Amino acid sequence: MDFMQQARHLVGHNIRVITVHGTFTGTLLSVGSDFLIMRVRIAGRLRRILIRLALIIALFRLLGPISSGYERSHTSSADDDVLEQYLMDEDD
């Protein structure tokens, strides 16, 4: 089973995605041909984000209750605001 097939089996589940820019924790909503869409809580608001598969380092299914959110990569500079490239819209 390849990455895309495995990712599609996780739709609707709580996952953690580690990207080159940071870590996202939330619910996987869909998987496209070269991206995935998640629901993540950022600054107290539910947001939908789009993550290009080329930016993903690892993807994990989480078990049990989770707190969703975004955690900046330790290698990113403080003034490098990369989060905006992931945001789609508000989900509230």
Side-chain angles (χ1 to χ4, degrees):
M1 189 179 302
D2 68 6
F3 179 83
M4 296 294 291
Q5 291 171 320
Q6 290 180 2
R8 285 189 178 104
H9 280 94
L10 296 177
V11 170
H13 293 282
N14 293 325
I15 63 167
R16 176 165 292 143
V17 177
I18 301 171
T19 72
V20 297
H21 298 120
T23 302
F24 296 92
T25 305
T27 304
L28 181 60
L29 299 177
S30 66
V31 178
S33 60
D34 64 348
F35 64 91
L36 56 84
I37 297 176
M38 292 179 66
R39 180 181 299 123
V40 178
R41 186 170 300 280
I42 299 174
R45 300 182 92 145
L46 283 176
R47 305 293 300 260
R48 285 191 310 155
I49 60 169
L50 183 141
I51 303 174
R52 291 187 7 229
L53 295 182
L55 300 177
I56 295 175
I57 296 170
L59 183 146
F60 304 94
R61 179 176 177 192
L62 300 177
L63 302 174
I66 61 149
S67 118
S68 64
Y70 168 70
E71 182 180 320
R72 182 182 297 278
S73 170
H74 299 292
T75 59
S76 294
S77 64
D79 58 0
D80 185 20
D81 191 12
V82 296
L83 184 57
E84 289 297 318
Q85 72 180 333
Y86 292 95
L87 296 176
M88 293 178 66
D89 59 13
E90 294 183 26
D91 230 17
D92 289 340

